[in-house]
Amino acid sequence: MGVDGVWWFFKVEESDWTEIKPQFDRAAVGVGSLPEVKPFILRSVAPPVTPKYAEAVVAGVLAGAELGERLFHRPFHELVFKLLIEKPDWQSDEHLVEFALQSRVLPTVVLMTGIGYERFAQLPGYLGNMLLHRQEVASALELVSQTLDVDWQSYSTKAKCTLDYGGPPGSEFDLDADADVAKILHALPNALQKVKNDGAGLLVLSSWGFPDTDTPQNSATGSELDDIEFF
């Protein structure tokens, strides 16, 4: 079975900064370069769902999985699991200010597919993972808001290529897909606005799945992660 790709957005108070900063810096060691986005086969827009449409869905899912392998950096995954196991209260609304997930694909893959390599490369941090001090949040919000100010129709058409569901325009599945890719597009600026209002910093991390916070020893790292079917 597959697993959810998760994009976490945590408020970082000044009292947490000295603890979180060195952990994030260690996780960032060895991070890969940002991969190029290969052209996707756009799905046909006219009903009914044809064999060509089905072929485009399969091709998009496979291409999204390949891109996800390049955007996934295991130490960031391990860091968010460690934090949530050691700090269960970080799953509360007090710390978790925004949240996005997708079945079988990382939300960062959806975003990058929709906005393209050039815009995604302008985002702070590494591969969609970032740690911003409260003094950096205002300027980051301005940059991110400009970077993600994209044409909706173009963005949604491209971003939906990575999803394993959809359908003719206006169908229930297509409306669900629109809602999901919109959530991903707005997640980062929404999180930045929330922490700016609170005078706090922001930690953003990607993971596959969720940690078992009832079992502290289980952080789903190492060989366990290798057994997960991503697509």
Side-chain angles (χ1 to χ4, degrees), residues 49-111:
V49 176
T50 64
K52 284 189 176 181
Y53 180 92
E55 291 173 6
V57 171
V58 172
V61 169
L62 293 176
E66 181 182 349
L67 183 58
E69 291 180 2
R70 296 286 307 280
L71 283 183
F72 177 71
H73 184 59
R74 185 190 297 263
F76 289 134
H77 162 97
E78 294 175 348
L79 175 57
V80 72
F81 273 39
K82 177 178 182 293
L83 289 173
L84 291 174
I85 288 171
E86 296 179 354
K87 303 174 182 292
D89 62 309
W90 274 44
Q91 295 193 55
S92 70
D93 293 341
E94 178 63 25
H95 285 279
L96 187 60
V97 296
E98 194 65 41
F99 180 81
L101 78 158
Q102 279 295 292
S103 174
R104 301 173 185 267
V105 63
L106 290 174
T108 48
V109 168
V110 176
L111 180 63

Side-chain angles (χ1 to χ4, degrees), residues 187-221:
L188 178 56
N190 285 348
L192 284 165
Q193 185 63 62
K194 290 176 183 178
V195 298
K196 179 176 181 280
N197 293 343
D198 291 343
L202 181 69
L203 173 66
V204 184
L205 296 169
S206 289
S207 76
W208 281 114
F210 303 84
D212 181 358
T213 53
D214 294 328
T215 308
Q217 297 85 356
N218 179 13
S219 60
T221 59

Side-chain angles (χ1 to χ4, degrees), residues 152-175:
W152 163 252
Q153 190 59 52
S154 175
Y155 164 78
S156 63
T157 298
K158 295 174 183 177
K160 287 187 289 187
C161 286
T162 59
L163 306 183
D164 60 3
Y165 58 96
S171 67
E172 181 179 354
F173 287 127
D174 186 59
L175 293 175

Side-chain angles (χ1 to χ4, degrees), residues 101-155:
L101 78 158
Q102 279 295 292
S103 174
R104 301 173 185 267
V105 63
L106 290 174
T108 48
V109 168
V110 176
L111 180 63
M112 188 174 178
T113 305
I115 67 175
Y117 173 91
E118 291 79 9
R119 286 181 179 270
F120 195 92
Q122 296 175 34
L123 299 179
Y126 313 89
L127 310 179
N129 303 273
M130 62 196 75
L131 176 62
L132 300 168
H133 189 267
R134 60 184 178 85
Q135 295 177 343
E136 302 173 293
V137 166
S139 59
L141 176 58
E142 183 177 356
L143 170 64
V144 166
S145 297
Q146 294 174 353
T147 301
L148 300 185
D149 183 14
V150 296
D151 175 74
W152 163 252
Q153 190 59 52
S154 175
Y155 164 78

